[in-house]
Amino acid sequence: MVGIPKSNRCTFCKLRKTKCDENWPTCGACARAGKVCSGARSNYKFVVNGCHNEEPTPKSSDSDDASISSYDGSSQIQDPLSRRTSPGGAIIVDMKEYTAAIGPGTFHRMRLARSHRPRSVKSGRPTPSPTPSPVMSPSDRLAAQFISCINAASGTGHDLVIWGPSIKMIPQRLSVGSDSQVLRHTVELVVASWTNSQRDILVPETWLDLRLHMQALGSLRKALEEPEQGLVTDTIAAQWLLQKLELTYDFVRGANQEHHAAGLTAVISRGGPWQGFNDLGLYATFDSFFNMLQEDVRLGRDSVFMHHEWITAFRQAIDGSTLRPVVKAMYRLWIEMTVWPTLVRLVRVLCHDPSDTMTAAELVLRATPVIEYLENENETTLASLMESGEIIEVDNFLGADLFPRCYQFRDIDTAKFFYIHAMYSIIIYRTIQEANSVLEHYAPSVMKKCREYSQRIWMSYPWMRTQRPLAIEYTAALAFSYESANEEEREFCVRSLDDMEFFRRPPPIGRWIDATIMANVKGYTGRMPFIKNQDVSIELYGVGCRC
């Protein structure tokens, strides 16, 4: 198309987006600013094959290209069927010239045609054209967007890898052309919500895309109601993603953590312990373990995965995987912690009947192997990580008055294994402490161990603070460390909990205070009941823990 009128503003006025008084040779704006006025611009601009040119294409005597110039009353396209070859090999053909009904302008009807391929001199066959680049499918395009989100914030608090190693397996799953809508809709939601979190103009309450959220929940509901064996991995991965997404972004409306944990347990257990996990299914299962065990603790039931068949199957799957050693160590830790809901259930029995020595003895019997495993990991795996420099102690510039030294980690996987090991050690020692009180067995080493692991969690805070907002699960470790702290250290814990949730206004649990923290700590160690009520007075008066 040719002959699109242009503004008469000079270049200076056009850049400033102001009206030009057109008082040539120097307009008023340029005179006041002390600029050299460019004068009036050309009357027309030209569009050739989608390219907007500031200057008309000069005439050429040795080419069959169309000769085009600014309209001055006499200049025309010399040949109404002239052709112009574009850089891509296509030809623009001027089909017909029209005269404007009003004004002196002329307009042309153009057609884009492909050039004829030259024939080979020897064979007479057409010379093969370059192979066109394949068109990306919607799944490939979504996978590319997801990879872009993963790579865009690597090493920062918005790094999606913080949610777990499973995240890196999802683009490949999308690219294989899976027929599952649930995974595709969930990834679309994650991409949109993560992108919103990068926009400074949006408040955190609007990060979650509600339309895509409802779409993903609908697809998940359908997948759970109509399970297909070939799509179990997609359902597990989608439910894990929704769980992490809501825990991070859906803090105004409340997360569906109970439903997701129950759905994950049902989908995984439906296939049995020997169903054969692929990499994504295995990763997503273990990255969801903490939330599934939390739900079992709240409901007062044993974990379905604590039985020998499941433990054996999980261990074999981990041993046969290509996971990093530190990730394998973390997943093995989840296996050992399947006994956590059972220990909490036994502690609740002791709270109702402090004279039940049989239950206390059973609790010690079940907890002792776990403690031995945790201490062995402390002396082997964690000691090896410190010797290799993956965990190092450095000067603490954030709160040197309390902790002159703090920990730094190679990556988020190493940090998660470190603080999760400390958190679970505190939980198991607290349950043993309740059994010892019933058995009248005084063990000062239990309190000493709780404080030792609590200090590890506190010294991890300066590094974990840099992983906000996605490292929200670290707040659980801070809460469990609170009971071992003195008054000054407890103030530090409260500040740290508020700081880790700085973007959640208000945080889902409400304001972190002593009664709220202790209610959660005692609830998840069996010393206080869970009550389905959001009235904060339940925790203020020490009645129970909200859930």
Side-chain angles (χ1 to χ4, degrees):
M1 184 172 63
V2 62
I4 301 177
K6 290 171 53 175
S7 169
N8 284 331
R9 291 181 294 178
C10 68
T11 302
F12 181 66
C13 291
K14 182 176 177 63
L15 291 174
R16 295 181 63 195
K17 298 183 180 180
T18 59
K19 185 176 180 180
C20 184
D21 60 13
E22 302 181 11
N23 186 18
W24 318 122
T26 302
C27 70
C30 290
R32 289 190 296 272
K35 301 288 185 180
V36 178
C37 187
S38 65
R41 297 165 63 83
S42 301
N43 290 334
Y44 297 93
K45 68 177 179 180
F46 299 84
V47 180
V48 179
N49 195 27
C51 299
H52 292 245
N53 300 318
E54 290 296 327
E55 299 298 334
T57 306
K59 296 180 180 181
S60 175
S61 58
D62 57 352
S63 172
D64 62 347
D65 290 351
S67 302
I68 306 173
S69 64
S70 301
Y71 180 80
D72 58 3
S74 61
S75 175
Q76 300 288 337
I77 294 183
Q78 303 299 324
D79 181 4
L81 295 178
S82 62
R83 301 171 176 232
R84 176 173 297 276
T85 303
S86 71
I91 297 175
I92 301 175
V93 182
D94 189 356
M95 302 298 295
K96 190 173 181 180
E97 179 179 348
Y98 297 89
T99 303
I102 300 176
T106 60
F107 302 90
H108 295 260
R109 176 184 170 198
M110 317 294 287
R111 182 170 66 86
L112 186 65
R114 293 184 178 275
S115 59
H116 295 288
R117 291 183 294 174
R119 293 183 176 271
S120 171
V121 176
K122 293 183 178 180
S123 62
R125 297 178 181 176
T127 304
S129 59
T131 304
S133 58
V135 179
M136 293 183 69
S137 66
S139 296
D140 287 339
R141 189 178 302 111
L142 181 60
Q145 293 173 350
F146 197 54
I147 292 173
S148 177
C149 293
I150 294 174
N151 296 335
S154 179
T156 70
H158 290 275
D159 189 351
L160 289 171
V161 177
I162 293 174
W163 284 351
S166 318
I167 208 79
K168 295 181 179 179
M169 304 293 298
I170 291 176
Q172 181 181 0
R173 184 71 180 179
L174 289 171
S175 298
V176 299
S178 172
D179 296 330
S180 171
Q181 285 190 339
V182 62
L183 183 59
R184 187 164 61 253
H185 289 165
T186 304
V187 172
E188 289 174 356
L189 171 63
V190 172
V191 169
S193 301
W194 184 90
T195 303
N196 288 340
S197 72
Q198 303 301 297
R199 301 172 63 185
D200 295 336
I201 61 174
L202 294 180
V203 294
E205 290 83 356
T206 62
W207 286 352
L208 188 71
D209 190 303
L210 295 182
R211 182 185 65 83
L212 294 178
H213 187 212
M214 295 303 297
Q215 176 181 268
L217 288 176
S219 298
L220 178 61
R221 191 179 303 111
K222 183 178 179 181
L224 292 174
E225 292 172 354
E226 303 174 3
E228 297 181 30
Q229 187 62 30
L231 302 179
V232 169
T233 296
D234 292 350
T235 306
I236 294 174
Q239 199 144 19
W240 166 74
L241 274 178
L242 276 170
Q243 189 179 60
K244 297 296 184 183
L245 182 81
E246 292 177 354
L247 185 65
T248 307
Y249 296 139
D250 188 23
F251 42 85
V252 173
R253 290 158 292 277
N256 302 307
Q257 295 303 303
E258 293 182 11
H259 302 294
H260 292 319
L264 278 165
T265 303
V267 172
I268 297 168
S269 59
R270 186 184 296 134
W274 303 108
Q275 57 189 291
F277 292 97
N278 59 20
D279 286 344
L280 178 57
L282 179 68
Y283 289 22
T285 297
F286 280 106
D287 288 339
S288 309
F289 244 61
F290 177 63
N291 303 96
M292 289 190 289
L293 293 178
Q294 273 188 314
E295 179 64 10
D296 291 334
V297 169
R298 285 192 292 265
L299 296 178
R301 67 189 182 194
D302 295 343
S303 172
V304 298
F305 305 118
M306 69 173 292
H307 301 294
H308 178 73
E309 294 81 3
W310 278 104
I311 292 177
T312 303
F314 281 142
R315 285 174 177 167
Q316 290 184 6
I318 293 173
D319 293 339
S321 69
T322 57
L323 294 164
R324 291 174 53 209
V326 68
V327 178
K328 285 187 176 183
M330 182 165 59
Y331 286 175
R332 291 192 186 102
L333 179 59
W334 292 124
I335 296 175
E336 297 298 326
M337 287 312 299
T338 53
V339 74
W340 174 25
T342 303
L343 297 180
V344 170
R345 178 177 58 79
L346 294 175
V347 171
R348 287 174 183 160
V349 173
L350 295 179
C351 291
H352 284 92
D353 184 5
S355 62
D356 190 349
T357 56
M358 292 293 292
T359 301
E362 181 185 354
L363 194 156
V364 172
L365 186 65
R366 288 180 176 271
T368 300
V370 183
I371 285 294
E372 293 174 352
Y373 175 84
L374 291 169
E375 292 301 328
N376 180 66
E377 285 292 283
N378 181 45
E379 296 172 1
T380 56
T381 306
L382 287 174
S384 175
L385 291 172
M386 291 180 179
E387 290 176 2
S388 63
E390 296 190 44
I391 303 175
I392 59 174
E393 283 192 31
V394 297
D395 292 333
N396 181 15
F397 299 102
L398 196 60
D401 51 337
L402 280 177
F403 315 108
R405 306 282 287 175
C406 64
Y407 291 110
Q408 283 198 350
F409 305 94
R410 172 190 171 186
D411 51 32
I412 187 62
D413 290 335
T414 306
K416 287 173 71 174
F417 174 64
F418 186 79
Y419 77 74
I420 288 173
H421 176 275
M423 179 183 71
Y424 276 144
S425 297
I426 295 171
I427 292 172
I428 303 302
Y429 275 118
R430 290 296 179 196
T431 61
I432 289 181
Q433 184 180 15
E434 291 300 310
N436 286 341
S437 64
V438 172
L439 298 173
E440 298 181 353
H441 176 65
Y442 178 68
S445 60
V446 172
M447 297 295 295
K448 183 179 178 181
K449 283 291 184 180
C450 287
R451 179 161 179 81
E452 175 188 336
Y453 287 114
S454 296
Q455 286 179 330
R456 287 189 176 186
I457 294 173
W458 301 333
M459 292 172 66
S460 304
Y461 169 72
W463 192 89
M464 291 303 303
R465 186 177 184 272
T466 64
Q467 306 301 303
R468 300 175 303 171
L470 296 188
I472 197 63
E473 290 183 348
Y474 172 70
T475 56
L478 276 173
F480 280 109
S481 70
Y482 182 84
E483 193 172 1
S484 299
N486 58 34
E487 183 177 355
E488 190 176 8
E489 291 164 344
R490 289 192 173 191
E491 291 178 359
F492 160 79
C493 288
V494 172
R495 290 196 308 269
S496 301
L497 286 166
D498 289 336
D499 196 29
M500 289 298 296
E501 295 191 340
F502 77 101
F503 65 101
R504 299 154 74 94
R505 300 297 183 206
I509 201 169
R511 184 168 174 265
W512 287 105
I513 56 176
D514 179 82
T516 300
I517 300 172
M518 287 303 300
N520 278 269
V521 171
K522 290 182 177 180
Y524 284 104
T525 52
R527 294 173 287 166
M528 187 174 284
F530 284 97
I531 301 176
K532 283 187 172 295
N533 194 313
Q534 293 304 310
D535 186 0
V536 70
S537 62
I538 292 174
E539 296 174 348
L540 294 177
Y541 293 109
V543 176
C545 179
R546 293 173 290 165
C547 68

